[in-house]
Amino acid sequence: MQTLLPLRLEDLCFEARGRGIIQGISLEFEAGSRTVILGPNGAGKSVLLRLCHGLLAPTSGRVVWNRSGAANGRHRQAMVFQRPVMLRRSALANIAYGLKLAGVGRSERQARAQRALEELGLAQLAGRFARVLSGGEQQRLALARAWALEPEVLFLDEPTANLDPAATREIEAAISRIGAAGTKIIMVTHDLGAAKRLADDIVFLHEGRVLERAGATRFFKGPASREAAAFLQGELI
Amino acid sequence: MNAVRRLLLAALLAAAHFAALPAGAQQKFITVASTTSTEQSGLFGHLLPIYAKKTGVQVRVVALGTGQALDVARRGDADVVFVHDKPAEEKFVAEGFGVARREVMYNDFVLIGPKSDPAQVAGGKDIVVAFGKIRAAQAPIVSRGDRSGTHSAELRLWKMAGIGLAAARGPWYRDTGSGMGPALNTASSMNAYILADRGTWLSFKNRGELTIVVEGDQRLFNQYGVILVNPAKHPHVKKELGQAFIDWIVSDEGQRAIAGYKIGGEQLFFPNAKRG
Amino acid sequence: MGAGAQALTHAAELLVTLDPGLVQIVSLSLRVSFAAVVIATLAGLPLGATIAVARFPGRQVLIVILNALLGLPSVVVGLAVYLLLSRAGPLGSMGILFTPSAMVFAQAILVAPIIAALSRQSIEDAWREYEEQLRSLGAAPVQAGLTLVWDCRFSLLTTVLAGFGRAVAEVGAVMIVGGNIDGVTRVMTTAIALETSMGDLPLALGLGFILLSLVLALNAAAQVIKEAAQHRYG
């Protein structure tokens, strides 16, 4: 099968109520690395992620996948949201639901869902109802639901923003494992700690524009832009 | 309405039909459009079981005002009408909606009023004089106002008393537009006069201060008639079953059954069918 | 003895003796309204879900109309259905006027907008929460609609009950299209209207108490189920 990546953004713009949220972004995401989109609140990070995933349509510009008709291959991408949305059914059934929509046959669904739960350390919660799980467990379940789809690209929007440190560690460990298994990770965060722990390379976003694109080590050592430097200093920009 | 919507509607109706189907097998029945006075006086509750036992035919009575009952029959929604407004019935037959009118029974109207009797009509034998006094005293009177047989009778009495309602109308004249029972409830709660049929009055429980103030005038005569709806106008009318019911009710047996209905020892309806 | 106490005594007597007339009337009330709600749900729920999830021109107008239909007077529905089912009307040949089927039909028309409008509201609220997730998983609109209906099942239970309450409590429509025929189309509400017009107010009120208790019991049961389910499923 032809791979989805690289993903190319061509002069992408997005306006809402006359305000330019994303103002002319051109970028390319290669397979393999874990890319973190970093920036202060309101920089347009989440919107950019949704444009990439196809949840929003750009006002102008294009999102181009290597394989044409990638929208039909939606299940080759997956997304985990800041607040996990769980269906009123068991943890296992939540994962199986995603697989069903991806066209996975009934018999295979159960096995794959079970494997995904085990992978995220949730096997003992399989029969529990998803909505009564703790926030950390729900987010891990959301990750399991995404992982079960065996996506080529996994988008993550502030996946640990609402979690306590222990839950955050578990999620980040899982993201690392998924990345290591060959899935392209594209994660949005405004949390410097998370970015340092997970990023191979950084896209620094500010007021709807990409100010910097660099390897993580280089970026954290010496950012090129004044805004990125200020952000790293913990200033409010 | 396009074909799809018609189809959906039909499906919906079929579902409705199925869902509400009674458990037992469908019994033979006819639909009779009749008046609230016959239904609410309990006459049908007395007659119909006798008829059902004899013939196995269920008589379904839809109780309405006479005007409404005749309208329902005009639309073909009843097999037989059983009402009490001779002029309206004759018009119904003349228009071709009914086959032939048979007289069945009579009772009488009574003037009901509060015991305090503000118009000083109690004990009188002349209903037209009583109406004149009510008008003169502007004592409150409740009218059915619903084109029922009782309403027609009331309007005839005003005319006989030489009172033009259009001009004389005032707060004393309460036009309620309701059935006999609701109108009696209204009269009871405001201590007003009201023209009622004796049958409904006898079976009415919420009398309060009301009592009969005028009765026995021959102009209060209340004739009931029965008519088969014309099968030539409405082919689905159950001609045989309907006619069988009419034949029974004017027969000696039916007439005896009518005479046998009593409340508290008092006979409510007096059979007077002519031999046909 | 006051009217209220008399009414209670009447209600108790009817219940204790299990008056056969009463049993028939209550059972017909429940059967007719149940059938009507089933049909109204089959029609109203998909409509509500579609309006909640789909975006199309005229959607806002449709929502306003649906909400307005919540206040549809039952006599108007009764009259319209009467004219439709009357022998002289377009569906007269079915011959179901003055039968329980006609009552089911009228009540279904009365209740369908309630189910559609209220389910639209709860499903749209859920859609706001679920939309991105479901679209991300690749759910087609119909699939998303079905998923939302299933996930809202407990609040939709309340919606259906509201519809049942309206159906079982209305008198205008069933009176006109049913005709209040003793033993055939007489239900709780038309029986109450009849007793009222015969001036037997305590008996009418007693029947009213029974109707109220039935509706109350049903709602209490639904509430218990809903609470338990909410606790379990979150």
Side-chain angles (χ1 to χ4, degrees):
Chain A
M1 196 188 327
Q2 202 179 357
T3 76
L4 286 176
L5 294 165
L7 163 63
R8 212 167 59 245
L9 309 183
E10 294 175 353
D11 198 20
L12 208 58
C13 292
F14 182 80
E15 282 180 17
R17 298 194 191 93
R19 246 186 72 225
I21 311 280
I22 298 294
Q23 309 188 32
I25 290 183
S26 297
L27 266 180
E28 196 162 299
F29 295 103
E30 302 284 348
S33 60
R34 291 180 305 222
T35 302
V36 168
I37 301 172
L38 196 62
N41 284 329
K45 306 184 296 289
S46 291
V47 170
L48 181 62
L49 207 63
R50 281 165 173 73
L51 286 166
C52 292
H53 189 40
L55 292 178
L56 292 175
T59 311
S60 66
R62 292 203 306 155
V63 175
V64 186
W65 296 91
N66 181 44
R67 194 177 69 197
S68 58
N72 303 330
R74 174 62 69 63
H75 59 279
R76 304 289 301 150
Q77 338 164 8
M79 181 154 167
V80 170
F81 297 86
Q82 181 170 351
R83 283 197 348 201
V85 177
M86 289 298 147
L87 303 176
R88 281 197 179 82
R89 49 187 91 189
S90 71
L92 189 73
N94 261 279
I95 300 180
Y97 177 80
L99 291 170
K100 183 182 165 199
L101 291 187
V104 176
R106 183 183 292 271
S107 51
E108 203 189 333
R109 286 207 285 270
Q110 296 301 316
R112 262 170 81 171
Q114 194 65 47
R115 259 207 321 279
L117 284 174
E118 281 161 16
E119 183 66 26
L120 273 295
L122 293 168
Q124 75 284 1
L125 300 180
R128 294 270 299 279
F129 289 97
R131 286 192 163 231
V132 295
L133 299 177
S134 73
E137 286 165 339
Q138 287 198 28
Q139 193 58 293
R140 268 197 285 160
L141 183 54
L143 212 50
R145 182 165 60 192
W147 183 82
L149 298 171
E150 297 171 2
E152 234 185 294
V153 183
L154 177 59
F155 296 103
L156 299 128
D157 185 9
E158 309 263 16
T160 60
N162 295 331
L163 302 181
D164 61 34
T168 299
R169 262 197 304 282
E170 285 173 348
I171 295 289
E172 288 181 359
I175 293 171
S176 293
R177 280 205 305 284
I178 293 169
T183 296
K184 166 75 180 175
I185 303 287
I186 301 178
M187 179 169 116
V188 155
T189 187
H190 68 278
D191 174 1
L192 278 176
K196 279 179 181 155
R197 288 188 294 273
L198 286 171
D200 293 325
D201 60 320
I202 299 280
V203 173
F204 183 74
L205 214 60
H206 185 56
E207 290 177 353
R209 294 175 209 280
V210 175
L211 293 191
E212 222 173 318
R213 170 87 196 253
T217 331
R218 226 212 64 213
F219 178 80
F220 287 114
K221 206 176 273 171
S225 66
R226 195 169 47 80
E227 288 83 356
F231 183 71
L232 290 180
Q233 297 283 312
E235 286 178 27
L236 296 171
I237 56 169
Chain B
M1 189 161 28
N2 63 36
V4 176
R5 270 165 63 199
R6 194 181 282 268
L7 199 70
L8 278 176
L9 202 60
L12 204 68
L13 280 166
H17 197 71
F18 175 77
L21 212 61
Q26 281 288 4
Q27 203 186 349
K28 272 203 255 182
F29 71 90
I30 57 169
T31 305
V32 176
S34 187
T35 67
T36 47
S37 55
T38 36
E39 163 85 351
Q40 295 180 10
S41 63
L43 176 66
F44 282 129
H46 170 74
L47 284 186
L48 302 185
I50 299 175
Y51 187 68
K53 200 170 164 196
K54 180 181 156 68
T55 62
V57 175
Q58 183 187 33
V59 177
R60 298 183 173 177
V61 175
V62 181
L64 305 156
T66 291
Q68 239 185 319
L70 289 172
D71 281 347
V72 161
R74 273 194 184 90
R75 299 184 63 89
D77 295 324
D79 303 304
V80 171
V81 276
F82 190 157
V83 293
H84 64 131
D85 185 350
K86 194 170 172 182
E89 291 163 46
E90 283 171 343
K91 182 163 170 267
F92 179 80
V93 174
E95 287 167 352
F97 289 105
V99 175
R101 175 176 176 274
R102 295 292 303 269
E103 302 205 328
V104 179
M105 62 187 190
Y106 67 92
N107 69 351
D108 59 345
F109 295 112
V110 286
L111 183 65
I112 307 294
K115 292 187 181 116
S116 57
D117 194 21
Q120 303 289 318
V121 296
K125 290 283 169 220
D126 189 323
I127 186 65
V128 174
V129 168
F131 265 50
K133 282 182 175 172
I134 289 171
R135 162 72 183 94
Q138 308 230 336
I141 180 166
V142 167
S143 168
R144 293 278 296 277
D146 63 348
R147 291 195 304 129
S148 59
T150 309
H151 186 216
S152 295
E154 182 211 311
L155 295 179
R156 280 197 295 276
L157 291 172
W158 288 118
K159 207 178 242 173
M160 287 181 211
I163 293 165
L165 270 185
R169 247 172 201 278
W172 60 280
Y173 188 80
R174 311 286 167 87
D175 188 336
T176 60
S178 56
M180 194 69 255
L184 276 169
N185 275 327
T186 307
S188 166
S189 67
M190 54 199 246
N191 276 331
Y193 292 94
I194 180 170
L195 186 72
D197 68 278
R198 190 184 290 272
T200 307
W201 170 252
L202 285 176
S203 56
F204 185 74
K205 296 204 174 70
N206 183 32
R207 295 180 182 180
E209 290 299 303
L210 298 185
T211 184
I212 294 179
V213 289
V214 176
E215 60 184 325
D217 189 321
Q218 60 168 348
R219 284 167 294 193
L220 288 172
F221 182 76
N222 180 22
Q223 177 68 48
Y224 285 84
V226 64
I227 308 171
L228 179 71
V229 177
N230 192 352
K233 280 252 182 195
H234 295 290
H236 56 267
V237 164
K238 293 170 182 159
K239 177 166 61 175
E240 284 82 18
L241 289 179
Q243 190 59 53
F245 176 66
I246 291 173
D247 290 345
W248 178 77
I249 203 141
V250 299
S251 72
D252 288 344
E253 192 187 339
Q255 296 276 296
R256 271 200 307 279
I258 290 171
Y261 181 57
K262 295 186 169 88
I263 293 182
E266 194 168 343
Q267 185 174 339
L268 266 69
F269 296 95
F270 300 88
N272 68 342
K274 296 181 188 72
R275 306 229 149 253
Chain C
M1 193 157 59
Q6 264 187 52
L8 279 176
T9 315
H10 263 296
E13 266 173 28
L14 287 170
L15 285 178
V16 168
T17 58
L18 221 60
D19 184 84
L22 177 76
V23 170
Q24 193 194 22
I25 287 171
V26 171
S27 123
L28 184 65
S29 269
L30 295 179
R31 274 191 302 146
V32 164
S33 296
F34 179 77
V37 167
V38 167
I39 294 166
T41 304
L42 288 179
L45 199 55
L47 180 64
T50 306
I51 299 174
V53 174
R55 293 292 175 270
F56 50 88
R59 178 173 176 274
Q60 292 299 329
V61 178
L62 198 58
I63 290 175
V64 170
I65 291 175
L66 264 189
N67 287 339
L69 285 181
L70 290 179
L72 196 61
S74 60
V75 259
V76 173
V77 172
L79 192 59
V81 172
Y82 170 73
L83 291 174
L84 202 62
L85 296 182
S86 168
R87 289 288 179 176
L91 296 174
S93 57
M94 298 184 69
I96 63 167
L97 189 67
F98 302 140
T99 67
S101 302
M103 298 156 80
V104 170
F105 184 42
Q107 286 193 351
I109 288 181
L110 200 63
V111 172
I114 297 181
I115 307 246
L118 297 184
S119 64
R120 198 268 315 161
Q121 191 61 59
S122 22
I123 291 171
E124 194 170 320
D125 290 344
W127 180 233
R128 227 164 268 147
E129 183 191 347
Y130 286 36
E131 178 178 4
E132 287 199 323
Q133 181 68 67
L134 292 185
R135 284 179 54 207
S136 168
L137 290 172
V142 173
Q143 241 163 354
L146 289 174
T147 302
L148 288 169
V149 167
W150 179 244
D151 256 55
C152 294
R153 56 198 181 271
F154 304 118
S155 59
L156 292 178
L157 183 66
T158 314
T159 298
V160 170
L161 268 184
F164 185 83
R166 173 100 204 255
V168 84
E170 76 84 27
V171 60
V174 285
M175 184 67 98
I176 297 176
V177 304
N180 191 24
I181 300 170
D182 191 13
V184 180
T185 58
R186 184 161 299 164
V187 289
M188 301 283 308
T189 52
T190 57
I192 292 171
L194 179 66
E195 292 305 336
T196 305
S197 60
M198 288 172 72
D200 199 340
L201 305 189
L203 179 55
L205 203 54
L207 287 170
F209 276 135
I210 294 173
L211 178 62
L212 196 66
S213 324
L214 271 175
V215 174
L216 209 62
L218 206 69
N219 276 283
Q223 187 64 23
V224 168
I225 292 173
K226 202 179 153 183
E227 284 294 318
Q230 213 110 57
H231 187 72
R232 183 148 182 247
Y233 298 98

